[in-house]
Amino acid sequence: MTVLERQRARAKWQQQEQQSYFGGSEFGGLFLEPSQAVQGNFQGLVGGVDSVLGEVAAVLVKPDLSLESGLPEFGRFELSNMGFGSDALINGSTTGFHINSPTSMTSGCPPTVAAVAPEERGKVSVPAEKKSSVAGRESFKKRKADKVQNTKVGAEEDTKDKKSKVSAEEGESKITTEQTSTKNNSSATNNRETSADTSKENSKASEVQKPDYIHVRARRGQATDSHSLAERVRREKISERMKYLQDLVPGCNKITGKAGMLDEIINYVQSLQRQVEFLSMKLAAVNPRLDFNIEDFFSKELFPACSTGFPTTGMSSEMTNPAYLQFNPVQQLVSCCGLEMGMNTPDMAFRRTMSAPLSLPETYLDTSYITQLQPSSTWDADLQNLLNLEFHQGRSTSYASQQLTGSIEASNLKMEI
Amino acid sequence: MTPKGVTLKSNSRKMKFARRFICTLLQMRKPRPVSLSIEEVRARGQRIKIAAYWSMAHAVGSRRAWSRALLFKLRNRARYQTIMRRRSPGLKTKRVIKNDTPGELSQTKKLRQLVPGGKTMDMCNLLEETAHYITCLATQVKVMQTLADNFSK
């Protein structure tokens, strides 16, 4: 087969290049001894790798950065170690590798599915990529590191990891050959990380192999990794939600990491709850004076669109409404328009709440009447004391203090006006 | 991906909450002789707080797990209180549900305690509910703040 010949020629070329590049490194050593045996074990290895990479063929077209970065490296080491010559894998960084890689893989083995055009494209790009791939091996890693968004996967990917990944892949595809074992040993000894890391990388490598899509069907030889697939999906969901929470909670832009974010979230929720409590205390203090103002406020604030002749515009901001309230004497409002609205809607709302299941504590079910009383807006000494008490109680958070000072200033302004 | 349209109906939610809350406040208005003792104010503040949470949960409806849990808790508390008043006051049972998943942070546990209904949620849903809960709390605070400002002037 011309394809095989081409691949072998490529492999030999690659071999020579890498030998010259790395000199007496273990890579060359690795190269020398398996170079012949690789060809013999070509089918087996190809079969093994093909099972792994054949899945990539089933992947839908959505270039995943982690995959792009992961597989090219894998492919590169495939080249280096097994002499595949499928440089098209390295192409993944630039072009859609998912088109190239399976074809390059399949071109080497007994042809399963090989699209001619992509294959040729892969081959065309091969010579161009070869030098860059070999010479820029180190820089490629850096490039890849820039590109990898998935920190979990990218963090573990190093030059050191590649061989372990490769060996992991082979191990997972259940092809144990002398080459893999030797590679395993050499990779293990050759300034590898600890076995714990390699095992972690194995799982990561298998995850890198797999796409991120939930609708991918089961792969052959990868049934055990459905857990890791689901794990990955779950983790990404969680990280997405954490990002959304980061937008919600103010001042969380610089905080990275789950624990810190959770701390901030907890603080924010606690401060909001404390604010609710504080405001409820404030309302309790004011409540005795809750007279007809309520209805005015109710009608005005909640029904900005109602054309009752109120000179208010819309609910552009809550502060403008209260400010506007101050300008009109309350009696005028009451007499003009607030009366009907104020009377009607609380009535209807009353009926609604009364008909609702009486689940509230009994203290809530005191009936009260909508009476028209004169508004009085005076600060009692007790009120002030209460407010100060509540204000200084507990942890003083920026949120509460900001709001309170803002409101106090606004109210002072209104008083002056 | 925007989680679940939290920002879509915030205005109507605010209105619903404000409406219900104000009605509850009106219901709670005491007759004329008003005592400004600290204890009474505190008790009333507590009731107002419960009213706020209840109206917020109702404004959200049954769509969210936390609102359902909150309504359930309030209903149970009301029922519990009435029952407990009739019976002896020494019958206080506290159920502790320990949902210890391995590798869980202490913050997660704390968050579960804060968010209503968070004890029986997995992390993914917990975060989602927290986000919605935060938005609802923020609207609650805004409305109550405006109310307080208005009524104190």
Side-chain angles (χ1 to χ4, degrees):
Chain A
M1 288 201 290
T2 57
V3 170
L4 257 176
E5 289 162 17
R6 260 181 272 158
Q7 276 226 321
R8 283 188 185 153
R10 236 185 293 148
K12 280 175 193 154
W13 186 90
Q14 185 91 39
Q15 208 174 310
Q16 290 160 13
E17 279 244 329
Q18 283 179 340
Q19 274 176 18
S20 59
Y21 192 75
F22 288 100
S25 71
E26 68 281 346
F27 284 40
L30 268 175
F31 243 89
L32 287 171
E33 48 107 3
S35 60
Q36 308 310 316
V38 163
Q39 308 300 326
N41 289 329
F42 204 72
Q43 298 301 315
L45 289 174
V46 165
V49 176
D50 182 53
S51 69
V52 165
L53 286 175
E55 302 144 12
V56 183
V59 169
L60 299 178
V61 180
K62 187 193 169 189
D64 193 348
L65 287 173
S66 59
L67 282 177
E68 273 185 315
S69 51
L71 266 179
E73 289 205 327
F74 174 84
R76 176 171 297 181
F77 268 94
E78 288 299 304
L79 291 167
S80 65
N81 298 334
M82 302 203 246
F84 257 0
S86 52
D87 289 344
L89 279 179
I90 304 162
N91 226 0
S93 59
T94 51
T95 60
F97 80 97
H98 53 271
I99 303 173
N100 292 330
S101 52
T103 61
S104 63
M105 278 294 130
T106 54
S107 62
C109 59
T112 54
V113 179
V116 177
E119 181 195 355
E120 286 181 349
R121 195 205 312 173
K123 289 201 190 99
V124 165
S125 56
V126 157
E129 286 292 322
K130 268 186 186 166
K131 288 200 172 167
S132 59
S133 65
V134 173
R137 188 177 286 233
E138 315 305 319
S139 59
F140 182 83
K141 256 162 272 135
K142 288 173 200 154
R143 262 184 286 136
K144 172 197 67 67
D146 294 338
K147 265 187 267 179
V148 166
Q149 309 268 336
N150 193 350
T151 56
K152 282 176 236 149
V153 176
E156 266 106 21
E157 279 169 357
D158 273 330
T159 45
K160 312 168 190 171
D161 305 349
K162 283 169 204 165
K163 281 199 175 172
S164 57
K165 239 198 287 182
V166 166
S167 49
E169 286 307 316
E170 292 164 0
E172 280 179 354
S173 35
K174 292 158 189 157
I175 288 171
T176 53
T177 63
E178 295 150 10
Q179 270 65 37
T180 58
S181 57
T182 51
K183 272 168 214 146
N184 275 333
N185 295 340
S186 54
S187 59
T189 53
N190 192 13
N191 63 350
R192 289 290 163 265
E193 281 126 12
T194 61
S195 57
D197 289 347
T198 53
S199 61
K200 196 168 44 146
E201 284 138 26
N202 292 350
S203 61
K204 291 290 182 286
S206 61
E207 286 169 346
V208 170
Q209 278 296 306
K210 264 177 287 308
D212 291 344
Y213 321 123
I214 307 173
H215 54 266
V216 167
R217 38 175 207 270
R219 318 258 137 112
R220 53 174 182 151
Q222 300 293 327
T224 56
D225 291 319
S226 63
H227 297 295
S228 48
L229 184 73
E231 260 297 307
R232 182 171 223 201
V233 167
R234 173 187 163 267
R235 266 203 304 272
E236 294 203 341
K237 263 200 221 173
I238 286 179
S239 69
E240 176 193 328
R241 300 222 161 113
M242 293 289 281
K243 275 189 212 134
Y244 181 67
L245 276 167
Q246 210 169 18
D247 297 330
L248 270 186
V249 179
C252 270
N253 308 326
K254 295 153 196 160
I255 297 175
T256 53
K258 209 161 115 174
M261 266 307 299
L262 280 177
D263 273 329
E264 279 303 310
I265 291 167
I266 287 171
N267 285 342
Y268 189 56
V269 170
Q270 277 174 340
S271 79
L272 281 176
Q273 286 177 340
R274 245 179 259 128
Q275 264 184 309
V276 167
E277 185 164 347
F278 168 70
L279 284 169
S280 67
M281 283 295 175
K282 192 170 169 185
L283 280 173
V286 174
N287 211 3
R289 292 177 187 79
L290 273 181
D291 23 31
F292 205 82
N293 239 347
I294 303 172
E295 288 82 14
D296 304 334
F297 176 77
F298 190 11
S299 56
K300 277 223 288 249
E301 165 121 325
L302 301 183
F303 304 99
C306 71
S307 56
T308 57
F310 280 143
T312 59
T313 52
M315 271 290 289
S316 52
S317 74
E318 288 171 347
M319 292 318 283
T320 59
N321 249 344
Y324 207 93
L325 258 180
Q326 307 310 314
F327 291 117
N328 303 327
V330 179
Q331 292 87 351
Q332 186 184 358
L333 296 172
V334 166
S335 59
C336 288
C337 323
L339 195 60
E340 296 91 13
M341 286 302 298
M343 290 297 289
N344 292 341
T345 46
D347 266 338
M348 295 196 304
F350 253 54
R351 285 182 213 122
R352 241 180 282 140
T353 49
M354 294 307 267
S355 61
L358 304 178
S359 57
L360 291 176
E362 296 153 340
T363 52
Y364 291 171
L365 300 181
D366 304 334
T367 54
S368 65
Y369 306 99
I370 301 168
T371 56
Q372 305 196 19
L373 301 170
Q374 297 301 317
S376 53
S377 55
T378 56
W379 281 95
D380 265 357
D382 286 343
L383 200 65
Q384 281 279 7
N385 291 341
L386 179 71
L387 278 176
N388 292 337
L389 187 76
E390 292 297 324
F391 181 53
H392 292 301
Q393 245 178 20
R395 190 171 85 110
S396 59
T397 61
S398 59
Y399 317 117
S401 56
Q402 272 170 15
Q403 276 216 352
L404 190 63
T405 50
S407 67
I408 285 178
E409 285 165 36
S411 55
N412 288 341
L413 270 173
K414 288 172 208 165
M415 293 273 282
E416 287 159 24
I417 291 171
Chain B
M1 167 176 133
T2 55
K4 302 354 179 221
V6 168
T7 55
L8 281 180
K9 291 192 185 172
S10 55
N11 217 20
S12 64
R13 187 165 62 214
K14 190 202 285 184
M15 308 269 272
K16 274 193 254 179
F17 162 68
R19 188 182 303 161
R20 235 179 240 277
F21 184 49
I22 289 175
C23 294
T24 323
L25 282 184
L26 288 173
Q27 281 176 334
M28 273 170 33
R29 245 189 345 168
K30 288 219 155 160
R32 275 298 91 193
V34 147
S35 52
L36 284 176
S37 65
I38 295 290
E39 293 83 15
E40 260 205 39
V41 174
R42 244 185 223 144
R44 173 185 278 171
Q46 177 76 14
R47 292 203 296 268
I48 290 182
K49 184 175 81 167
I50 293 179
Y53 281 118
W54 178 81
S55 26
M56 196 63 204
H58 260 286
V60 171
S62 305
R63 288 190 297 270
R64 285 275 153 182
W66 69 264
S67 67
R68 289 194 293 266
L70 191 55
L71 286 172
F72 183 70
K73 181 176 88 173
L74 289 174
R75 256 179 225 141
N76 278 359
R77 186 186 287 185
R79 236 175 269 150
Y80 211 61
Q81 274 177 358
T82 55
I83 291 173
M84 280 303 122
R85 268 186 220 135
R86 286 174 210 159
R87 292 195 195 157
S88 70
L91 284 175
K92 276 207 172 174
T93 57
K94 186 152 189 195
R95 275 173 298 153
V96 176
I97 303 170
K98 195 88 194 283
N99 199 5
D100 220 0
T101 55
E104 209 179 58
L105 302 166
S106 64
Q107 294 103 336
T108 315
K109 215 160 56 168
K110 222 171 173 187
L111 192 61
R112 283 180 198 274
Q113 290 169 357
L114 283 178
V115 176
K119 293 197 181 125
T120 53
M121 280 191 236
D122 51 339
M123 188 61 178
C124 197
N125 291 333
L126 178 68
L127 289 178
E128 194 180 331
E129 297 292 322
T130 310
H132 195 262
Y133 187 57
I134 285 178
T135 54
C136 293
L137 273 181
T139 56
Q140 197 172 351
V141 162
K142 269 187 226 162
V143 172
M144 289 174 78
Q145 183 82 58
T146 327
L147 275 176
D149 288 342
N150 261 337
F151 299 147
S152 63
K153 278 298 125 211

